[in-house]
Amino acid sequence: MLSGMADFRIDEGDPAVLRPSGDWTLERFARLQPRLDGARAASRIGGIDLSGTGRMDSAGALLIARLLHRNGLGMDAVAGASEAQRALLAATLATLDQPVAHPRPPHWSDLFAHAGAATLELVAQGRRLLAFIGEVLTVLPGVLVRPRRWRPVSVAHHIEQTGLDAMPIVALLSFMVGAVITFLGAVVLRDFGAAVFAVELVAFSFLREFGVLLAAILLAGRTASAFTAQIGAMKAREEIDAIRTLGMDPIEILVLPRLLALLLVVPLLTFVAMAAGILGGLVICATSLEISPAMFLARFQDTFELRHFLVGIAKAPVFAVVIGLIGCLEGFKVEGSAESVGQRTTSSVVQSIFLVILLDAVFALVFQELGL
Amino acid sequence: MTAPGPDHAIEVRGLDSRFGSQVVHQGLDLEVRRGEILGVVGGSGSGKSVLMRSIVGLRRPDAGQVKVFGQDLAALSGPERRAVERRFGVLFQDGALFSSLTVGENVQVPLRELHPELDPLQLELLSDLKVVLAGLPEAAGDKFPSQLSGGMRKRAALARALALDPDILFLDEPTAGLDPIGAAAFDALLRTLRDALGLTVFLITHDLDTLYAICDRVAVIAERRVLVNAPLAEVERFDHPWVRDYFHGPRGRAARSAARPG
């Protein structure tokens, strides 16, 4: 008898007898399963003789138990098995009576179901966001009139995390975008002999649009995701439920400090982004366009209009609310799994960036109509 | 202490475990015999889980030696070490199931990874076997861990631990948080599996009923070492205040009289 190589022989007779040989283990399962299940005489097997079998683990036992089960045989059809093998076979055989549920395999028509579900989800998400805004607005006045409940420590912590720590990246990015815009503008304007208008171009665009937009998009990526992950992890570990059962309001404890911090931080970061972008323009003008910093500043002062700055900075609190609310709301939607935290974080970044740009476009139209 | 021999599945010699200045184990010796269910008890914070992590290789001992099947894990090369580790099945305290996969897929993870030759049907056959062996009901197979109760999660984690037919099963408080009926069923299941699969079981528990119901021997960890490692009857008679309080307190007496009526 070859030990190691797992094999079997079916002795024809009445009934046929299966004689497995070698080690019937998991390593051989992939090879043995189709051979044994596909054997022509398999359905006529009425007895199994294990006397020539080496080691057997639960995978090997599963093969033999399935054969017994299919042919309607019991343990008394098994001969030559050791005590341990009998116990293993009996335990395995007992499992085969119980079916196990499996997820349905994917089908092409699921595509339509996905599309439908996504559409419904979009509507539901809009309603949830509105409901959440309402919830926050009902909690907010009660907290605002009672300075004891302002949680200054928590607010300061979030100001540091979302504002101070984000300042270098906001400044650097705005500086670079400002430089690029100035350079591109100057290349076009030079053909008309109007290179000096690059100053107005960078100042106008950063004060009105790019300063606030860059700050908001960066915070949407940086802060909305952080809020979702923080609150989501708390949700997954039932900490939110604990807050509720302790008689406290998770919106007051978790959402308001974050929202207040963002309301303070986004206008400040917007200002930093505006300054850094214009500085980027100044540096490019000085190095490649032969417009000296003094000339740049003089021109900037001549053409500066306060309304551009106000139009830009007025959008900052709105974007702050959008980023803060979506970040927190998505956090509350996390369910038990690690995957869910990832999905919600992605969704919070996508939604907040989308809404920031959408609202910015709406603002542009409104201000245009108002002639500001 | 008995002489080291091939009948020992696990042998720990002179194990030291330290976290900064905090000493958890000092000169700890322990052996687990092949095919036995060893219950490991000790107060909270006495280092039971740390001992388990040291044996399965998740934590490097600060001193001393851990031998599994006569091989020192720390001295083995990567592939040899993984070959030994494949003979372990570990059930962590909270189950540690992969939350993004269904129960059936959780069981299939190690099978897929180590046996790429198995086709989907075969994977399903093998995972179904383990799911039912672990005592899970039919509907549990396509559920996600977050949809299961605590007891079911324990069983699902056991099913995954059994996926590769381990030789040694490490269980960290498997019956904690289960109702008494569920805990008793888990005990019975464990014994059936041990008898059927020839497992060696390293069982950390606070559950006195489990100790009386299924453990062949009990190791008591206190004072940074294994105080006593012997059959339960001997451990009960061991003269040490903690052991006395543990086995002869009201809960200990209740569990003993339940296990040995009359």
Side-chain angles (χ1 to χ4, degrees):
Chain A
M1 182 70 37
L2 269 170
S3 85
M5 276 312 288
D7 205 347
F8 62 87
R9 203 174 70 228
I10 299 174
D11 284 348
E12 294 288 349
D14 195 29
V17 176
L18 174 75
R19 295 184 199 283
S21 58
D23 291 344
W24 279 49
T25 54
L26 183 56
E27 284 73 31
R28 322 266 192 263
F29 186 83
R31 233 167 38 79
L32 283 173
Q33 187 265 332
R35 284 186 53 212
L36 183 61
D37 288 359
R40 210 172 308 146
S43 60
R44 291 196 303 277
I45 290 172
I48 294 172
D49 178 9
L50 289 179
S51 51
T53 315
R55 289 197 309 120
M56 182 193 286
D57 66 6
S58 67
L62 178 62
L63 288 176
I64 291 171
R66 288 183 73 229
L67 189 75
L68 290 172
H69 190 70
R70 265 206 315 269
N71 291 3
L73 303 170
M75 282 302 294
D76 46 347
V78 180
S82 69
E83 191 106 340
Q85 285 173 342
R86 283 198 89 80
L88 177 59
L89 269 178
T92 311
L93 189 58
T95 67
L96 294 177
D97 290 325
Q98 192 194 323
V100 175
H102 290 283
R104 203 172 56 82
H107 189 255
W108 62 266
S109 66
D110 292 351
L111 204 62
F112 296 107
H114 277 305
T119 311
L120 288 178
E121 172 58 27
L122 200 65
V123 176
Q125 171 61 19
R127 294 172 64 112
R128 266 197 298 262
L129 186 60
L130 290 176
F132 192 64
I133 292 173
E135 236 179 304
V136 172
L137 283 180
T138 51
V139 178
L140 188 65
V143 174
L144 282 186
V145 297
R146 260 165 282 173
R148 276 166 165 282
R149 284 163 65 181
W150 282 1
R151 299 175 198 282
V153 177
S154 179
V155 174
H157 169 77
H158 288 299
I159 287 179
E160 183 188 345
Q161 279 203 332
T162 61
L164 216 55
D165 296 352
M167 209 154 78
I169 185 83
V170 169
L172 179 66
L173 212 81
S174 306
F175 180 87
M176 293 192 295
V177 173
V180 169
I181 285 176
T182 312
F183 196 75
L184 286 178
V187 167
V188 177
L189 291 169
R190 196 153 35 185
D191 293 344
F192 303 99
V196 77
F197 280 96
V199 178
E200 272 117 301
L201 177 73
V202 68
F204 187 74
S205 60
F206 261 85
L207 289 176
R208 277 190 85 103
E209 294 289 339
F210 284 142
V212 65
L213 208 53
L214 282 174
I217 287 177
L218 263 172
L219 281 197
R222 198 179 172 280
T223 305
S225 58
F227 286 180
T228 305
Q230 288 160 1
I231 295 180
M234 292 183 75
K235 176 87 193 297
R237 300 184 58 91
E238 296 183 324
E239 291 174 47
I240 308 275
D241 298 333
I243 290 177
R244 283 213 176 90
T245 53
L246 289 169
M248 299 181 288
D249 185 353
I251 292 192
E252 183 189 327
I253 292 180
L254 300 174
V255 179
L256 287 189
R258 288 177 166 82
L259 205 58
L260 288 180
L262 274 187
L263 275 172
L264 287 172
V265 152
V266 179
L268 292 176
L269 282 181
T270 299
F271 184 77
V272 169
M274 289 172 176
I278 293 170
L279 186 68
L282 183 141
V283 169
I284 285 294
C285 281
T287 51
S288 353
L289 299 176
E290 284 137 21
I291 301 171
S292 71
M295 206 169 135
F296 184 98
L297 288 177
R299 176 99 196 150
F300 179 58
Q301 213 163 12
D302 287 346
T303 57
F304 176 80
E305 282 181 67
L306 187 64
R307 64 184 176 99
H308 294 321
F309 173 76
L310 291 180
V311 161
I313 207 90
K315 291 185 269 191
V318 179
F319 292 166
V321 170
V322 166
I323 294 166
L325 283 182
I326 288 182
C328 293
L329 173 63
E330 289 296 311
F332 282 113
K333 279 161 61 187
V334 165
E335 285 150 23
S337 68
E339 195 188 17
S340 166
V341 177
Q343 282 172 348
R344 300 275 62 105
T345 309
T346 309
S347 158
S348 108
V349 173
V350 171
Q351 278 185 53
S352 44
I353 291 183
F354 171 80
L355 273 183
V356 161
I357 295 178
L358 181 79
L359 283 177
D360 191 66
V362 172
F363 272 123
L365 283 177
V366 170
F367 289 135
Q368 183 92 41
E369 288 299 313
L370 292 177
L372 284 170
Chain B
M1 296 281 158
T2 43
D7 57 328
H8 285 149
I10 303 172
E11 247 186 272
V12 182
R13 290 274 166 260
L15 175 75
D16 282 12
S17 304
R18 282 185 292 267
F19 293 95
S21 60
Q22 189 199 357
V23 180
V24 179
H25 302 132
Q26 196 162 32
L28 181 143
D29 293 324
L30 176 77
E31 55 278 323
V32 185
R33 295 179 190 156
R34 270 176 204 251
E36 78 171 348
I37 299 183
L38 177 76
V40 178
V41 299
S44 297
S46 60
K48 305 182 293 290
S49 298
V50 176
L51 175 61
M52 182 183 103
R53 294 175 71 87
S54 304
I55 296 173
V56 299
L58 288 172
R59 194 189 135 74
R60 226 187 158 73
D62 294 304
Q65 203 180 34
V66 176
K67 278 189 177 177
V68 182
F69 306 116
Q71 289 174 295
D72 185 354
L73 273 187
L76 292 177
S77 69
E80 289 173 318
R81 198 186 151 98
R82 274 193 288 282
V84 176
E85 281 167 357
R86 263 169 227 169
R87 300 170 70 179
F88 294 159
V90 184
L91 189 153
F92 290 95
Q93 223 162 354
D94 295 323
L97 290 163
F98 303 123
S99 54
S100 53
L101 303 177
T102 64
V103 170
E105 287 166 343
N106 259 288
V107 178
Q108 289 174 14
V109 166
L111 291 169
R112 264 179 219 280
E113 211 49 47
L114 299 173
H115 294 281
E117 76 277 8
L118 295 169
D119 65 31
L121 170 81
Q122 295 170 338
L123 283 171
E124 216 158 84
L125 287 175
L126 288 166
S127 69
D128 286 359
L129 169 66
K130 299 293 152 62
V131 165
V132 181
L133 264 186
L136 285 161
E138 173 189 352
D142 65 346
K143 285 209 170 119
F144 289 95
S146 56
Q147 298 170 310
L148 297 177
S149 69
M152 301 256 256
R153 257 205 297 272
K154 288 264 162 79
R155 284 166 187 269
L158 180 66
R160 191 182 66 185
L162 291 173
L164 292 175
D165 272 349
D167 292 316
I168 310 181
L169 195 56
F170 294 88
L171 306 171
D172 196 348
E173 303 204 18
T175 52
L178 299 194
D179 65 76
I181 301 170
F186 200 95
D187 290 346
L189 169 70
L190 211 54
R191 190 153 45 183
T192 313
L193 289 176
R194 191 268 305 259
D195 294 342
L197 304 174
L199 296 170
T200 304
V201 181
F202 179 98
L203 170 73
I204 297 175
T205 188
H206 278 304
D207 190 335
L208 283 153
D209 293 310
T210 303
L211 286 182
Y212 280 99
I214 58 168
C215 291
D216 300 309
R217 292 195 307 152
V218 173
V220 179
I221 301 185
E223 299 171 4
R224 301 175 191 150
R225 61 198 171 88
V226 175
L227 278 184
V228 54
N229 182 6
L232 198 57
E234 254 175 80
V235 174
E236 279 177 2
R237 289 196 299 273
F238 189 77
D239 191 31
H240 183 277
W242 192 86
V243 177
R244 234 184 352 258
D245 288 352
Y246 192 87
F247 288 99
H248 299 276
R251 283 159 182 271
R253 277 200 299 276
R256 189 167 56 239
S257 59
R260 296 176 202 152

